[in-house]
Amino acid sequence: EVQLVESGGGLVQPGRSLKLSCAASGFTFSNYYMAWVRQAPKKGLEWVATISTSGSRTYSPDSVKGRFTISRDNAKSSLYLQMNSLKSEDAATYYCSRQNNTGTTDYWGQGVMVTVSS
Amino acid sequence: DIVMTQSPSSLAVSTGETVTINCKSSQRLLSSGNQKNYLAWYQQKPGQSPKLLIYLASTRESGVPDRFIGSGSGTDFTLTISSVQAEDLADYYCQQHYSYPLTFGSGTKLEI
């Protein structure tokens, strides 16, 4: 059974940093692209970042480029999201997700909440 | 960036009815290489994570009931839910998986 378990969320002040982690199990982690998707309270879904199987390629939208860094450790079947210079608009539930070979996110974690407030 | 425009934003239906949700992309999602449309549909029930329903516009994910039907090509796509059940109460999102940045529609809230 595919499982994605996020951790590392919490309350952080604007301008500070936070690192999210995602522990994957139930599949061969190193064979899949992985992604982070977020959802602000009562809002829709927003893709945040994707990383290739080896970690050599990453993709992210302009809204987080230069502030957020996605990374992975295939030996530990873990995905990470380093978030720097956080803004109030980054407050959301962050989902770890698996991308299949068509680029679709086929499995999602339960999500971890990030609150940005002074 | 490809903009996804989804309609309606909300929809109230009775069980047993057929529902149609529309999604329009600002660019064609059809790959010239394999003639497939890179459009997905997700369902998000209250308090839960999103769940993949449909990908490549019309391919149903394993385990998804056959009352969920994806159709369309190019820039215009539709999710049809035939004989809506009470358990289908959820938000529905379309997403293009044709190119980065990946983008979602704004969602449709289905009320039963």
Side-chain angles (χ1 to χ4, degrees):
Chain A
E1 178 194 5
V2 172
Q3 286 199 325
L4 300 169
V5 180
E6 303 94 338
S7 61
L11 173 64
V12 61
Q13 293 178 328
R16 304 298 292 262
S17 299
L18 198 64
K19 186 174 184 177
L20 305 182
S21 300
C22 171
S25 61
F27 64 102
T28 304
F29 182 75
S30 58
N31 286 354
Y32 288 86
Y33 277 44
M34 297 294 294
W36 291 96
V37 178
R38 70 184 178 184
Q39 186 171 35
K42 305 295 186 185
K43 299 293 185 182
L45 300 170
E46 181 186 13
W47 168 73
V48 172
T50 291
I51 188 166
S52 64
T53 52
S54 66
S56 61
R57 285 170 292 173
T58 63
Y59 310 84
S60 60
D62 289 344
S63 58
V64 305
K65 199 163 289 183
R67 299 190 300 122
F68 289 13
T69 302
I70 187 172
S71 62
R72 65 191 298 161
D73 185 335
N74 286 342
K76 294 183 178 179
S77 294
S78 293
L79 179 71
Y80 306 101
L81 184 68
Q82 176 68 47
M83 304 184 291
N84 298 332
S85 303
L86 282 160
K87 305 175 182 180
S88 58
E89 54 262 41
D90 295 320
T93 294
Y94 284 73
Y95 295 100
C96 169
S97 62
R98 189 182 84 169
Q99 281 189 215
N100 64 22
N101 59 2
T102 70
T104 311
T105 43
D106 60 357
Y107 283 93
W108 301 65
Q110 84 286 353
V112 63
M113 192 174 299
V114 172
T115 302
V116 183
S117 175
S118 54
Chain B
D1 297 4
I2 299 176
V3 176
M4 306 300 293
T5 303
Q6 196 173 331
S7 63
S9 57
S10 65
L11 199 51
V13 298
S14 301
T15 55
E17 291 185 2
T18 294
V19 165
T20 299
I21 299 171
N22 300 298
C23 182
K24 188 174 183 67
S25 59
S26 61
Q27 299 175 34
R28 288 169 62 85
L29 305 182
L30 177 65
S31 169
S32 58
N34 59 12
Q35 292 300 297
K36 292 186 184 296
N37 289 277
Y38 283 68
L39 188 283
W41 290 96
Y42 298 89
Q43 175 194 63
Q44 187 177 30
K45 294 183 177 181
Q48 295 186 17
S49 305
K51 172 189 172 184
L52 176 64
L53 295 176
I54 305 281
Y55 61 98
L56 294 175
S58 60
T59 302
R60 206 175 293 117
E61 177 73 339
S62 176
V64 173
D66 58 9
R67 64 178 181 273
F68 291 92
I69 301 166
S71 62
S73 183
T75 61
D76 292 280
F77 301 90
T78 298
L79 174 68
T80 301
I81 311 172
S82 59
S83 188
V84 167
Q85 306 297 302
E87 68 211 48
D88 300 333
L89 165 73
D91 294 329
Y92 293 85
Y93 296 92
C94 61
Q95 180 212 25
Q96 62 84 13
H97 53 112
Y98 180 80
S99 66
Y100 293 104
L102 304 176
T103 47
F104 290 89
S106 54
T108 295
K109 177 178 288 293
L110 184 63
E111 299 169 313
I112 311 294

